[in-house]
Amino acid sequence: MKRIISVLALTLLWSLPVKAETYTWTDKSGTVNFSDDYSSIPKQYRRKVRKLGDMDAAPAAADTAKDGGGQQPVRPSTSVIGNPGTAGADSANGLYGGKKAEVWQQEFKAREAEYKRLERELTQLEGLIKNPVGISQERMWGLPQEFRETQKRYNEAIKSYNDLNDAANKVGLPAELRK
């Protein structure tokens, strides 16, 4: 009986991350969209959709998305809208929206470091979920919830990075200063 319950529990544990997939795509207007339902993604964007946890920038294949393949990350937006360096830039003193270029760079580096740290944490949690060797049963049961919470913080970090990028677009910060 214990064996049946253990097998059932492991099966449920492995199936939870599949239900927690987050898809992202960028539409024609440059808006980054998120969904946890693949069927809600417009057909013209399905070839370019990405899943949370993907370590490369290649689009997820439609069949991979349907069969519950590996998690792929939402990638941050780095698009520059309009003519960089003109809207809101005070070229005489090097200010963009009232902030120096160095301040913008520090903010970009800090937000990028945070989403990359969370991306690594998600990868580690995914590895533990797939191969729970050497961890306590209590930790094993808590892994799906920990994964979902980390995934939520990761999505918030990406949104924060993209919001900063949008603000940089509005003040005309050149793309080379966003690294």
Side-chain angles (χ1 to χ4, degrees):
M1 186 66 169
K2 274 187 171 183
R3 200 174 270 194
I4 292 172
I5 292 173
S6 296
V7 169
L8 180 60
L10 279 173
T11 303
L12 289 174
L13 179 68
W14 282 327
S15 67
L16 287 175
V18 173
K19 293 182 181 182
E21 290 178 341
T22 301
Y23 302 96
T24 183
W25 70 96
T26 305
D27 62 19
K28 290 179 183 176
S29 66
T31 303
V32 178
N33 299 278
F34 297 91
S35 177
D36 59 357
D37 180 14
Y38 184 79
S39 63
S40 70
I41 300 170
K43 289 183 180 180
Q44 68 265 29
Y45 301 114
R46 288 185 182 174
R47 288 183 291 139
K48 297 179 181 179
V49 73
R50 301 203 190 319
K51 289 192 297 179
L52 183 63
D54 181 19
M55 297 311 288
D56 62 6
D63 57 322
T64 302
K66 289 179 183 174
D67 72 8
Q71 301 289 322
Q72 301 176 356
V74 175
R75 303 310 299 177
S77 170
T78 55
S79 62
V80 176
I81 299 172
N83 187 6
T86 58
D90 183 356
S91 59
N93 56 15
L95 294 179
Y96 297 91
K99 293 192 280 187
K100 289 189 174 189
E102 296 81 24
V103 173
W104 282 100
Q105 287 177 318
Q106 289 172 352
E107 286 184 44
F108 271 101
K109 284 180 184 177
R111 293 188 191 185
E112 181 179 17
E114 177 62 9
Y115 84 72
K116 285 187 176 186
R117 182 190 66 77
L118 289 166
E119 191 172 72
R120 287 189 302 273
E121 192 174 325
L122 280 171
T123 302
Q124 290 171 345
L125 287 170
E126 185 177 22
L128 282 174
I129 289 170
K130 288 181 179 178
N131 188 16
V133 177
I135 61 173
S136 70
Q137 190 174 22
E138 187 176 302
R139 174 89 197 278
M140 183 175 70
W141 289 110
L143 283 175
Q145 180 63 30
E146 188 178 347
F147 184 87
R148 285 189 297 272
E149 289 169 0
T150 304
Q151 189 175 40
K152 182 180 177 185
R153 288 193 329 265
Y154 174 82
N155 286 336
E156 289 168 357
I158 290 294
K159 183 181 181 323
S160 174
Y161 183 91
N162 287 338
D163 289 346
L164 180 64
N165 196 52
D166 290 343
N169 282 337
K170 288 179 184 174
V171 299
L173 184 72
E176 60 271 7
L177 296 178
R178 300 176 195 205
K179 298 176 182 171

